[in-house]
Amino acid sequence: MAYAYDDQNIFAKILRGEIPNDTVLETGHCLAFRDIAPQAPDHVLVIPKGAYVTYDHFATEASDAEILDFARTVGRICDMLGVSPGDGGAGYRIIANTGANGVQDVPHLHVHILGGRVLGRMLPKAG
Ligand code: AMP
């Protein structure tokens, strides 16, 4: 795996405290904050603090502790937002845009957690 990490990306700057963010939760290995241009009433980004570009990069190279913290942080955010169907919430969507085809704008792994409205079909029809 040969990912080069650009430490000037905007989420790296957020992690270094160089630009502000609307933090929802910070853990040992992760930061969760509100998207600056929300596409749903609930729109939170979860990022690892480590220098990972994509989900596959993270899943391949991160430590067990980082992966566990990331997964648990996603769960905690769903709980905090009240979107979990297991707790009577109306549901949500997790998105990890990746690379050129995935139209990833920020080259630091992030998952979008979206909720608070019906989100429509997963993808528009091709064509
Ligand atoms: P993606 O296309 O998956 O890389 O999405 C990047 C997301 O980062 C977009 O939804 C942006 O609105 C969001 N974003 C960009 N800059 C910031 C920022 N400073 N604080 C919070 N969210 C941001």
Side-chain angles (χ1 to χ4, degrees), residues 10-11 14 19-22 33-39 43 45 95-98 102-108 110-112 114:
I10 197 152
F11 294 168
I14 285 176
I19 59 173
N21 74 92
D22 186 359
F33 53 99
R34 294 199 177 277
D35 196 291
I36 202 166
Q39 296 186 39
H43 189 169
L45 303 172
I95 298 172
N97 295 318
T98 306
V103 194
Q104 179 179 6
D105 289 328
V106 181
H108 181 112
H110 51 284
V111 294
H112 300 252
L114 297 140

Side-chain angles (χ1 to χ4, degrees), residues 30-77:
C30 297
L31 183 67
F33 53 99
R34 294 199 177 277
D35 196 291
I36 202 166
Q39 296 186 39
D42 298 313
H43 189 169
V44 173
L45 303 172
V46 180
I47 67 174
K49 291 182 176 176
Y52 302 103
V53 181
T54 66
Y55 196 96
D56 62 278
H57 186 200
F58 179 73
T60 304
E61 296 192 358
S63 68
D64 290 358
E66 290 176 294
I67 291 170
L68 179 63
D69 191 2
F70 191 78
R72 294 286 193 213
T73 298
V74 169
R76 288 174 68 185
I77 295 300

